[in-house]
Amino acid sequence: MDTTILGRTGLMVSVMGLGCGGPSRLGQSYERPEAESIRVVECALDLGVNVIDTAEAYRTEEIVGKGIRGVRREDVILSTKKSIMARGEGPASPEALRKGLEESLRRLDTDYVDVYHFHAVHPDQYDYVRNVLVPEAMRLRDEGKLRFIGVTEYFEKDQRHEMLDRALGDDCWDVFMVGFNILNQSAREAVFARAIEQNIGILDMFAVRRAFSRPERLKEILRDLIEAGQVDSADLDMENPLGFVVESGAAESLSEAAYRFCRHEPGMHVVLSGTGSLEHLEENARALNQPPLPEKVHHRLREIFRKADLVTGS
């Protein structure tokens, strides 16, 4: 597995990260036996993936803890997250942040996490997170319970990256988790250009969602973008949208192309891939270890979706 440096953290990371949330949650969303989910983690490590991303909200931290038990702790980059709003309660307090991290450490069976994110922060929550919770995260960092501080956007509601645009004005962030894919490339200008200047580590989520594996869902999304004036219908054959990617021989599947498109974006460090299937895990690892798409295909995808910023690909 190819590796790179995760921005200012200096961490040597695999370009593929195992995402333990998303629709699958390591297969737990489909009621797979825990042992199968643990095996997905173990297999990812065997493939050379060293970034494992989870969160208290995913309910997969214990599985990750069991999956990494057989490797040296320093050989794994653990990323987890704290939810800002508890269900039925107000925003997390500094005390709740501390307790949440301690509980995550217990579930992960470790003394520290490498990256601790504030999870799915809305634009209107940013000031509270920055002014009230970040100082406590810094204290936890000084105590050795976390190494680097990150923030993840709420991409489903913030497709234009308003929260991260504000976060780029502060110097407390080591890592961003960003929504970026073929259908919504707006982070290129809104986030990546400045993140490169500030040497912020970037983890990509939503590289592949339903649109890339379900043709009818892709057509539905494209119709919405055409209606919104963000995609020109003349650029697409709606009978086989994006069929030119595979027909040209650029990739064996649209999902493979989607991973490669994100993997080689300037400023990108780690592309997260979530699955409960060992077969899909291996396919995704092969895709993310391949070279960039041919320039002609890459350019065409950029041109078609250059104005699109209303969808996530889900």
Side-chain angles (χ1 to χ4, degrees), residues 60-73:
T60 53
E61 287 177 322
E62 287 190 6
I63 290 171
V64 171
K66 294 174 182 178
I68 66 171
R69 197 164 286 169
V71 301
R72 297 186 309 169
R73 176 62 186 86

Side-chain angles (χ1 to χ4, degrees), residues 20-251:
C20 303
S24 175
R25 294 193 302 114
L26 296 175
Q28 290 300 292
S29 295
Y30 312 119
E31 300 182 351
R32 299 278 178 84
E34 183 183 82
E36 290 188 14
S37 297
I38 293 171
R39 182 59 189 140
V40 171
V41 177
E42 294 172 338
C43 183
L45 295 170
D46 290 342
L47 290 169
V49 174
N50 74 343
V51 178
I52 312 292
D53 177 72
T54 182
E56 64 175 16
Y58 299 161
R59 302 189 301 281
T60 53
E61 287 177 322
E62 287 190 6
I63 290 171
V64 171
K66 294 174 182 178
I68 66 171
R69 197 164 286 169
V71 301
R72 297 186 309 169
R73 176 62 186 86
E74 58 267 31
D75 291 338
V76 183
I77 307 301
L78 280 182
S79 162
T80 193
K81 314 180 194 73
K82 173 63 183 173
S83 298
I84 302 308
M85 299 291 289
R87 186 172 297 176
E89 302 178 9
S93 65
E95 293 76 19
L97 178 70
R98 176 175 290 272
K99 181 180 179 182
L101 176 56
E102 291 172 348
E103 290 176 349
S104 289
L105 294 176
R106 175 183 57 78
R107 289 189 291 266
L108 290 164
D109 193 22
T110 186
D111 296 328
Y112 68 95
V113 294
D114 297 280
V115 185
Y116 196 49
H117 301 265
F118 295 99
H119 195 180
V121 176
H122 296 234
D124 61 4
Q125 296 171 337
Y126 180 77
D127 286 344
Y128 179 82
V129 170
R130 173 64 184 90
N131 297 328
V132 178
L133 298 182
V134 167
E136 182 67 9
M138 290 178 171
R139 285 187 282 271
L140 290 164
R141 181 186 61 193
D142 292 343
E143 294 170 19
K145 294 181 179 180
L146 65 92
R147 298 177 68 188
F148 302 102
I149 300 172
V151 63
T152 82
E153 65 183 355
Y154 189 22
F155 191 47
E156 293 92 338
K157 301 291 185 181
D158 187 15
Q159 295 100 325
R160 292 171 174 166
H161 319 285
E162 180 183 340
M163 186 279 294
L164 289 178
D165 178 67
R166 296 183 62 190
L168 283 160
D170 293 313
D171 194 38
C172 56
W173 306 110
D174 301 306
V175 180
F176 286 168
M177 190 174 292
V178 186
F180 176 84
N181 57 44
I182 289 174
L183 303 176
N184 186 339
Q185 305 171 32
S186 57
R188 179 179 297 116
E189 300 299 329
V191 180
F192 297 158
R194 290 161 65 194
I196 290 170
E197 292 177 359
Q198 298 178 32
N199 201 22
I200 294 172
I202 299 291
L203 307 183
D204 182 30
M205 56 183 174
F206 286 79
V208 173
R209 283 293 197 262
R210 289 185 299 159
F212 299 106
S213 60
R214 301 182 186 180
E216 289 308 311
R217 178 56 180 155
L218 177 59
K219 291 178 183 179
E220 181 182 350
I221 289 174
L222 292 176
R223 284 193 291 266
D224 289 343
L225 290 173
I226 290 169
E227 184 177 348
Q230 294 200 341
V231 166
D232 187 343
S233 60
D235 289 335
L236 295 167
D237 172 9
M238 288 303 291
E239 292 299 314
N240 185 20
L242 306 186
F244 67 88
V245 175
V246 175
E247 292 167 1
S248 68

Side-chain angles (χ1 to χ4, degrees), residues 4 15 178-182 184-193 196 200 202-204 207 257-271 288 290-293 295 298-299 301-302:
T4 190
V15 298
V178 186
F180 176 84
N181 57 44
I182 289 174
N184 186 339
Q185 305 171 32
S186 57
R188 179 179 297 116
E189 300 299 329
V191 180
F192 297 158
I196 290 170
I200 294 172
I202 299 291
L203 307 183
D204 182 30
Y259 276 125
R260 291 167 62 188
F261 184 90
C262 296
R263 149 81 172 94
H264 294 284
E265 177 68 24
M268 187 70 68
H269 297 106
V270 178
V271 177
L288 284 161
Q290 290 193 45
L293 293 172
E295 178 56 32
H298 184 268
H299 178 75
L301 290 170
R302 286 189 59 159

